[in-house]
Amino acid sequence: MSDWRSIPCVEKHKEFLEKLITVLIDSTFESVSRENPVLRWRDPAHLQDIIKFDVQDGPRSQDNLLEIASKVFKYSIKTGHPYFMNQLFSGLDPYGLAGQWLTDVLNSSVYTYEVAPVLTLMEKTVITKLLSMFYKDENGATVGDGLFCPGGSFSNGIAINLARFWFRKTTQSSKRISSSNLVLFTSQDAHYSVLKWANVCDVKVILIKTDSSGKMDITDLRANIIEEQKKGNYPFSVSATAGTTVLGAFDPLIEIADICQEYNMWMHVDAAWGGGLIFSKKHSVLLRGIQRADSILFNPHKLLAVPQQCSLLLTRHQNIFKDAHSQQASYLFQKDKFYSADLDVGDKYLQCGRRPDTLKFWFMWQAKGTSGFEKHVNHLMTLSALFKEEVEKRDGFELVTDSCFINVCFWFIPPSLRSQYSLYNYKEQINSVAPKLKEKMTKRGSLMINYQPLHEKPNFFRFVIQNSGVDTEDIYYVFDELENLGESM
């Protein structure tokens, strides 16, 4: 049957879609069941035998497509599973999922009000609310503006471009400042996207030393700013981090804000990971000083477990997005429309076509309320504290550094290496433990938890959690599983 028209037809597609929805609903609950594995590992060659990835000239049958859909689910990672702790995203929120499905049915793009009236107002509402949480002026009024971006890396890139634009505009200089003379400062533990986007924007990056907990060294920051000025360069921005990727460290935001104010520099805070703490009265203290930032990156798809992807860039500068980005394309942003031109938000974005990532976030917020997100965050912090306590009291586990956030970084020391610190190759042997354990857990499908080296430290595990469906028994399970897998090593 030739079925090439891109429009759903009741006679042709209703039964197929109903069957697919049944598969999706069943898969939703199967994917989070502790009775099922996190993944069913197959080597690439075996997986290519199971699923025929090649595309073909002729169409496949609907039954064949349903079979393929089931296989795609069966052999993919279940990121909503309580034992998936591998990345800075996890969980499968039912309301976020519903918002995601609704987003896909609409298949909209948010640039003009006429093609996305509901989504435009929804996005405006969410951005305004977040601005009121991160930024407040002396009278408590909401200030600034915001964008939804395709991921945190892209948000960091826009922030660099905004900082460059702002610095050139505000610096009192008779000559145009070359990008190659602009210098950005960030910590050596900052996200790698800062370096990537600095290349795109043709600006120099200086990596600032961090202390043992991963925080930016303020003394080193100041010394490097002065050194670059002596060279005739222009220090224009500091990119601080609120929740580094590996250690979960929070840079000293107040001190960085003071330095940026002193040297007339743009302060950006990458709070992709830690920004969700703004919802917690108890734990938002870790974000003290963030309201002084010129721009803030916040990823709800991380700590708040909004479905992938959902990322925002906020700024306290009301019109800078428009000033830096607007091109007033006449085929989209006509001046003689029958509604206010201010409702056409697309011109302030670098993108044109843009997925409405606000819908799933807004839908979750409606279902949970701000208080629900607060309970979610507090629960995660409680579980993280429990995990840290267990590391400290269990034989064979050792903290890499003290932690103040979700991240708990630790070494597992197998029985054969305990009390063997004096071995000449002890560090080398410890370095090999995590990769071997990761292979075991992955092939068994029992757990996914990431590992990495950092600076001179050998490979260690990083515990992170965003899934508030995880409970205390799951924490104990992680330790038991690591001990079982590593017993014979």
Side-chain angles (χ1 to χ4, degrees):
M1 177 184 70
S2 181
D3 190 12
W4 53 270
R5 296 182 185 274
S6 297
I7 186 169
C9 171
V10 171
E11 292 78 15
K12 291 183 178 180
H13 305 118
K14 187 172 186 294
E15 183 179 358
F16 166 70
L17 291 175
E18 286 174 343
K19 288 180 179 179
L20 180 61
I21 289 171
T22 299
V23 171
L24 293 177
I25 292 174
D26 290 344
S27 298
T28 297
F29 295 102
E30 181 182 338
S31 69
V32 301
S33 171
R34 293 168 177 82
E35 302 301 316
N36 295 319
V38 180
L39 74 157
R40 295 173 174 85
W41 174 262
R42 299 293 185 274
D43 291 322
H46 188 185
L47 198 56
Q48 287 175 329
D49 288 336
I50 296 171
I51 301 174
K52 305 304 180 185
F53 291 99
D54 292 342
V55 294
Q56 55 188 31
D57 290 338
R60 295 185 183 272
S61 69
Q62 291 182 352
D63 287 342
N64 190 209
L65 293 175
L66 291 170
E67 181 183 353
I68 290 171
S70 295
K71 288 180 179 179
V72 168
F73 168 77
K74 183 176 181 178
Y75 297 105
S76 292
I77 309 295
K78 312 305 184 293
T79 61
H81 198 289
Y83 303 151
F84 178 82
M85 301 167 177
N86 206 66
Q87 313 297 145
L88 298 186
F89 70 89
S90 67
L92 183 60
D93 187 90
Y95 300 107
L97 180 61
Q100 188 93 306
W101 286 348
L102 183 55
T103 299
D104 287 339
V105 169
L106 293 174
N107 191 33
S108 188
S109 184
V110 189
Y111 35 63
T112 62
Y113 181 78
E114 62 188 294
V115 298
V118 174
L119 298 170
T120 298
L121 298 181
M122 187 182 293
E123 186 174 275
K124 180 180 176 66
T125 300
V126 170
I127 289 173
T128 301
K129 178 62 176 177
L130 288 174
L131 287 170
S132 74
M133 296 170 73
F134 282 100
Y135 291 114
K136 291 179 182 176
D137 68 9
E138 295 175 355
N139 300 317
T142 300
V143 296
D145 199 359
L147 303 175
F148 276 83
C149 301
S153 294
F154 196 88
S155 298
N156 277 334
I158 295 177
I160 294 173
N161 189 54
L162 289 181
R164 183 176 61 170
F165 173 84
W166 169 86
F167 187 79
R168 284 172 170 164
K169 186 176 180 180
T170 59
T171 299
Q172 300 300 319
S173 176
S174 59
K175 61 179 181 179
R176 177 173 172 81
I177 300 171
S178 170
S179 288
S180 58
N181 291 116
L182 293 175
V183 186
L184 180 149
F185 304 85
T186 194
S187 91
Q188 60 182 353
D189 290 349
H191 195 263
Y192 65 87
S193 61
V194 176
L195 291 168
K196 285 191 173 185
W197 279 99
N199 284 334
V200 173
C201 296
D202 190 30
V203 299
K204 180 180 178 181
V205 177
I206 300 292
L207 297 181
I208 303 302
K209 295 176 184 176
T210 55
D211 63 18
S212 60
S213 65
K215 297 180 182 178
M216 187 186 293
D217 184 325
I218 293 299
T219 302
D220 192 50
L221 172 61
R222 182 181 291 276
N224 275 280
I225 291 173
I226 294 171
E227 181 63 26
E228 289 303 314
Q229 286 182 327
K230 289 179 179 177
K231 294 177 181 178
N233 291 326
Y234 296 88
F236 79 105
S237 179
V238 177
S239 182
T241 310
T244 57
T245 303
V246 178
L247 298 181
F250 285 69
D251 288 336
L253 302 182
I254 294 175
E255 291 90 338
I256 292 172
D258 289 341
I259 288 178
C260 286
Q261 182 175 332
E262 179 181 351
Y263 290 97
N264 189 39
M265 300 169 67
W266 180 282
M267 178 183 175
H268 172 62
V269 178
D270 178 348
W273 179 212
L277 292 177
I278 200 73
F279 283 84
S280 171
K281 299 180 188 72
K282 180 179 180 181
H283 298 291
S284 59
V285 64
L286 287 171
L287 296 171
R288 283 180 64 243
I290 199 169
Q291 72 279 1
R292 296 177 63 187
D294 293 283
S295 57
I296 301 168
L297 156 58
F298 168 44
N299 280 1
H301 72 242
K302 292 191 173 177
L303 193 61
L304 299 186
V306 175
Q308 287 270 32
Q309 61 187 3
C310 188
S311 178
L312 293 105
L313 181 67
L314 307 174
T315 178
R316 62 184 175 90
H317 300 273
Q318 188 72 44
N319 297 312
I320 194 165
F321 289 131
K322 181 179 178 181
D323 293 343
H325 300 158
S326 177
Q327 296 298 316
Q328 302 180 12
S330 60
Y331 67 91
L332 274 179
F333 310 114
Q334 301 93 336
K335 301 301 182 184
D336 52 357
K337 288 186 176 180
F338 59 94
Y339 58 84
S340 172
D342 292 339
L343 291 169
D344 288 349
V345 298
D347 203 23
K348 70 180 183 180
Y349 282 81
L350 287 182
Q351 306 142 266
C352 182
R354 183 168 59 84
R355 182 178 172 84
D357 290 325
T358 188
L359 200 162
K360 55 202 172 191
F361 185 21
W362 179 89
F363 206 80
M364 282 179 66
W365 210 331
Q366 295 294 326
K368 300 171 184 291
T370 304
S371 62
F373 277 131
E374 180 175 32
K375 291 174 182 176
H376 166 89
V377 170
N378 289 345
H379 178 69
L380 300 180
M381 292 292 283
T382 298
L383 291 180
S384 178
L386 172 62
F387 195 95
K388 178 185 172 185
E389 290 175 8
E390 287 295 309
V391 169
E392 291 178 311
K393 71 183 183 183
R394 289 201 181 209
D395 291 337
F397 292 86
E398 181 181 333
L399 282 176
V400 174
T401 186
D402 196 13
S403 59
C404 65
F405 186 37
I406 300 291
N407 307 45
V408 181
C409 296
F410 65 96
W411 287 289
F412 172 74
I413 316 296
S416 63
L417 289 177
R418 292 173 196 172
S419 302
Q420 301 294 316
Y421 303 106
S422 60
L423 287 175
Y424 77 95
N425 63 342
Y426 177 79
K427 185 175 179 179
E428 180 182 335
Q429 292 200 45
I430 288 297
N431 193 61
S432 68
V433 170
K436 291 176 181 176
L437 273 181
K438 181 63 178 286
E439 180 181 1
K440 285 186 174 184
M441 70 176 74
T442 300
K443 291 184 174 179
R444 186 171 174 175
S446 59
L447 178 67
M448 283 199 74
I449 183 167
N450 206 11
Y451 75 88
Q452 60 283 302
L454 184 67
H455 309 312
E456 78 286 351
K457 295 178 175 66
N459 283 319
F460 56 86
F461 285 110
R462 179 198 63 180
F463 168 85
V464 287
I465 181 175
Q466 307 83 26
N467 184 352
S468 52
V470 173
D471 56 31
T472 55
E473 292 304 313
D474 296 319
I475 299 300
Y476 299 134
Y477 167 85
V478 172
F479 285 96
D480 293 342
E481 184 64 11
L482 288 173
E483 288 173 341
N484 290 335
L485 292 172
E487 184 177 10
S488 61
M489 292 181 66

